[in-house]
Structures are given as C-alpha cells and as structure tokens.
Amino acid sequence: GQQLRALFYALPPGESSFRSVEEVPDYVEKSIPFFIAFIGLEFAVSWVRKRKLSGRINDGISSLSLGILSRLPDVLFRSVDLISYIYVWNNYRLFELPWDSPWTWYLTLLGVDFAYYCFHRISHEVNILWAAHQVHHSSEDYNLFTALRQSVLQKYTSWIFNLPMALFIPPSVFAVHLQFNLLYQFWIHTEVITNLGPLEWILNTPSHHRVHHGRNPYCIDKNYGGTLIIWDRIFGTFEAEDAKVVYGLTHPVNSFDPIMLQLRPLAHIWNTFWATPGFCNKLSVIFKGPGWGPGKPRLGLPGEIPVITGKEVPFNPSVPGYLNCYAVVHFAVIVDLYTELLGTVTVLSQGTILLRIGFIILSLTSFGLLMENRPKAGILEIIRCLIFVGVYRLGYLRSQFSYLSYAYEV
C-alpha cells in the first residue's frame, strides 16, 4: 500500500519522515513492480477502449533501454543529487529545520517542485542542457514507457537547483521528496486518463503533460511543472490541452539506438559550434535556445517551428514478427540481468560490475539496431550472443533465476 501511494505523492509526513538519509527507503526501486502493473493496465484499457495497444514494441524497448541506461551510473556512484546536497548541508547550512515537522515536509514538497520547475524550464531554453533533456522527448508515442525514457547526462546539471534547500532542510527530508517528485511524474505519461476536473488547476496531470510532450506550435515550451502546475500558471508558461497533440521532437531523431539518442544532439551542437562564425555566436550556440541562430531572438523564431498537419507518421521501420518476438524475449533477459546486478552490486568486484554494465550497453544497442532493421545488426547480434554464452559460462553474468541458466544459454 505504501509503495502504491508513493507513486501519487500520497504518503503523509507521519509515514515518510526519517532522521537520517540511511533510513530513507529506495521508493523508486520498490516501485518497479507497480510500473510494470500500470503499464499492463494501460495496455488493457487502451485495447478495450480503442481496440489498439497504447504503444509499439520498437518504441517501448527503446524507452526502457534509455531508462536502464540512465540508471547504470548509479550502480557505480552514489546519486550526485544527494552527494552535493549533503556536502552543502554539512558545511554551509544556516539553520536546521526539524526533520519530523509536518511544516518541514510540506515546505520541502514546494521547494523540490519549484527547483524542478526552474531546472526543467532552463533545460528547454539552454541548448547544452536541452541536448540531455531532449532524450525524454524523443518518443513519438505517449505512454507509461515514455516516462521511463531518461537521459544519462541530465542528473549532472539538475543537482545545482536543489542546493539552496541544503542551507536549512535536512537531507533525509530532501531525499524523500526527490523520489516522490520523480515517482509522481510516472503516471501522468498516459493518454487513457483524459481530465481530472478541479485537480487540473493545482496538479500536473496527464492532460497538462501531454501538452508538454507535444511538437504542435502551441505546445512548445509549456507546462514545465513536476507535481504542481501552479508554477506554470504563476510564471506564464501554462497552456491547456486543445488541438490533438502530436508527440516527439520538432525535428525527430528517427532512431531506436539508445547511444545514438543520447549523443547525437551533442554532436549536432559540436558541429554547429564550429560552423558558426564569431566567438559570441559560438557561445550562443551553447547557451541560448535550441532554435537560436545568428540574428534571431534567444529562443528562436516561433514561425520556424514546423507546422503540424495531423498526417505525421512516426518512425516505424518494418521488421518481421519473429524479430519483434526475439527482441522482447532477449530484452526480458537483459532486464533480469540488470535487476540481478542491482541486487548484488555490493558483493561484486569492480571489474565484474564494469563487465556487466558493458554487456548491458552492448545488448541495448544491438536491440535498437535490430528494431531499425539495419543491414549489419544481425552480425552484431551474433557477436553479442557469443559473448553472452562465454561470460555466462565463466560466471560473470548471473540470472536471478538459477533454473533458467540452461534456457539462457540455448
């Protein structure tokens, strides 16, 4: 019950206040079964209502691959959000609010959400930050898989916005709300919930967040809130859902390769930087909006946003049905190996951890290329399978389910 309520930010102060950071549960990891259950429920509701599924296999695997990729650095290092926050708290705090006060709990709710609004808005308005954040917007579907599509790089800039709270809010309270704010944003990535009535005035809802993910001109740079929509209403970035939303980037990346999706925007900035004349213009390429160019306003010209006709076709290469089945089965194996890695990371050597991470990245890349029907994807997949058999037999990879060992090798 607690984990389910955590998804909706519905654990009150009495149930989610802790004296130290070490006592704070890993709400995100414990919510994984609910992620799976809600994704299944979304598929069922969509099928009953529209006689079609709420997503595609290629896009779903791509989103989940990006989600796994974004969490791999946490296997090696403690969260940069908490490390930086605890450092400022230990060395520079001005005063200490009581960790067990409901007032501290509610103030932190507002503080974390406002910091998220600021960071999220700047991530859309500063090109180098957008290069990381755009990963989350790259899906042309909008479903609960999309919520798990995250950037590897984004967390290395977002931490700065939380530091003012470290001057007076205990780290244990912050650690709870950092997770709750993230978890709340999972369930709003859906089309099966239409309108929530009066709650639409205060909370960020699926309707508001659909606008945020749209590439229609009216959707661009709107509805940045995490849990609350009040910040958008206050600062003039709110837009209600109107014309049918077409999802994705204004200039789609057209790839399911998780490495390509993470790095191509950075390559684009690099190339544009060197191709743009003038030192100040070069800096503007990095620090102004992604739509900026010499002679344009900071955020670019709204008239240059591609017009939406309603006839846009998502990137969807044709692959045989057996290949889709193959990718789903092998992706399930990788999810098993990934969760086993999370559960045993404290007892593994650094070399084994790096080997497992490397194999997971190789696998996710191979699946992405298979879903794109690339000519040489089959060769990479054969190499990947041979590596798997070798390292599995040597004991460097392990399943959570020992009885599946022989099946995995087959």
Side-chain angles (χ1 to χ4, degrees):
Q2 267 202 346
Q3 292 307 320
L4 181 59
R5 285 184 290 132
L7 268 177
F8 298 94
Y9 223 126
L11 276 183
E15 290 183 72
S16 53
S17 296
F18 304 91
R19 184 184 296 276
S20 69
V21 171
E22 287 70 31
E23 294 173 53
V24 176
D26 190 336
Y27 290 108
V28 174
E29 193 174 319
K30 290 181 178 179
S31 295
I32 290 173
F34 290 103
F35 293 164
I36 297 166
F38 275 114
I39 287 168
L41 182 62
E42 181 186 38
F43 269 75
V45 171
S46 181
W47 180 257
V48 168
R49 280 190 189 167
K50 304 176 183 176
R51 284 290 179 268
K52 71 171 191 174
L53 297 177
S54 56
R56 297 170 291 150
I57 288 173
N58 47 23
D59 189 82
I61 287 179
S62 176
S63 290
L64 293 173
S65 296
L66 288 161
I68 290 172
L69 210 59
S70 73
R71 302 281 290 178
L72 287 177
D74 296 338
V75 174
L76 294 170
F77 319 107
R78 194 174 183 183
S79 164
V80 67
D81 288 293
L82 279 177
I83 290 173
S84 55
Y85 193 96
I86 291 168
Y87 177 81
V88 172
W89 169 262
N90 287 340
N91 294 282
Y92 301 106
R93 70 177 180 266
L94 304 176
F95 56 92
E96 189 172 329
L97 292 177
W99 65 269
D100 53 353
S101 166
W103 291 106
T104 305
W105 195 95
Y106 287 111
L107 178 65
T108 312
L109 185 161
L110 292 173
V112 167
D113 203 54
F114 180 62
Y116 178 81
Y117 171 86
C118 295
F119 164 71
H120 195 184
R121 183 169 178 175
I122 287 175
S123 291
H124 280 251
E125 296 184 358
V126 174
N127 203 13
I128 192 69
L129 299 183
W130 172 246
H133 182 62
Q134 62 81 38
V135 172
H136 181 61
H137 286 262
S138 58
S139 174
E140 294 177 274
D141 292 349
Y142 188 76
N143 51 40
L144 294 176
F145 284 129
T146 311
L148 305 175
R149 178 180 282 252
Q150 298 292 333
S151 165
V152 172
L153 302 171
Q154 183 172 295
K155 66 186 79 175
Y156 299 107
T157 50
S158 60
W159 59 272
I160 299 166
F161 293 80
N162 295 312
L163 295 187
M165 288 180 285
L167 300 175
F168 53 93
I169 290 173
S172 61
V173 187
F174 168 74
V176 166
H177 288 275
L178 189 66
Q179 293 188 76
F180 283 179
N181 194 277
L182 178 66
L183 286 173
Y184 179 90
Q185 293 178 57
F186 170 72
W187 71 272
I188 61 176
H189 290 82
T190 186
E191 291 188 292
V192 301
I193 297 172
T194 51
N195 191 286
L196 295 178
L199 293 177
E200 303 277 343
W201 283 94
I202 301 164
L203 297 176
N204 192 14
T205 63
S207 176
H208 297 329
H209 206 58
R210 284 193 288 272
V211 171
H212 180 71
H213 273 260
R215 53 178 159 134
N216 313 52
Y218 87 92
C219 298
I220 303 298
D221 295 343
K222 301 295 182 184
N223 300 0
Y224 295 113
T227 301
L228 303 171
I229 203 67
I230 57 172
W231 314 116
D232 290 285
R233 294 186 183 278
I234 291 169
F235 297 109
T237 51
F238 175 75
E239 189 70 47
E241 190 174 19
D242 186 12
K244 179 171 172 54
V245 177
V246 176
Y247 303 106
L249 301 168
T250 55
H251 299 90
V253 178
N254 290 342
S255 177
F256 298 123
D257 175 359
I259 303 298
M260 167 75 78
L261 287 163
Q262 296 279 357
L263 298 181
R264 193 151 93 176
L266 289 170
H268 175 69
I269 289 177
W270 176 261
N271 293 333
T272 308
F273 178 87
W274 289 111
T276 303
F279 180 71
C280 289
N281 283 340
K282 287 184 186 297
L283 289 180
S284 295
V285 167
I286 298 172
F287 297 110
K288 288 187 178 177
W292 179 85
K296 297 178 186 176
R298 182 174 67 89
L299 298 181
L301 295 167
E304 291 185 352
I305 297 168
V307 175
I308 295 300
T309 63
K311 297 177 183 176
E312 287 72 19
V313 178
F315 177 63
N316 195 26
S318 177
V319 297
Y322 72 84
L323 197 57
N324 279 327
C325 293
Y326 176 91
V328 169
V329 169
H330 279 258
F331 184 79
V333 173
I334 294 304
V335 171
D336 172 29
L337 298 177
Y338 166 69
T339 48
E340 204 277 337
L341 171 62
L342 291 181
T344 58
V345 67
T346 52
V347 297
L348 297 174
S349 70
Q350 198 79 349
T352 302
I353 292 170
L354 289 171
L355 182 66
R356 291 190 184 190
I357 288 174
F359 181 74
I360 289 170
I361 293 171
L362 171 65
S363 299
L364 299 179
T365 303
S366 183
F367 301 154
L369 298 179
L370 283 173
M371 294 291 91
E372 291 179 31
N373 219 355
R374 293 278 192 92
K376 296 184 179 173
I379 297 170
L380 179 63
E381 181 59 17
I382 290 168
I383 293 169
R384 186 192 76 85
C385 288
L386 291 173
I387 292 171
F388 173 81
V389 172
V391 294
Y392 200 81
R393 289 217 155 193
L394 292 170
Y396 291 109
L397 287 173
R398 283 210 182 92
S399 166
Q400 298 175 90
F401 313 106
S402 54
Y403 57 86
L404 287 177
S405 294
Y406 181 67
Y408 278 5
E409 289 184 32
V410 170

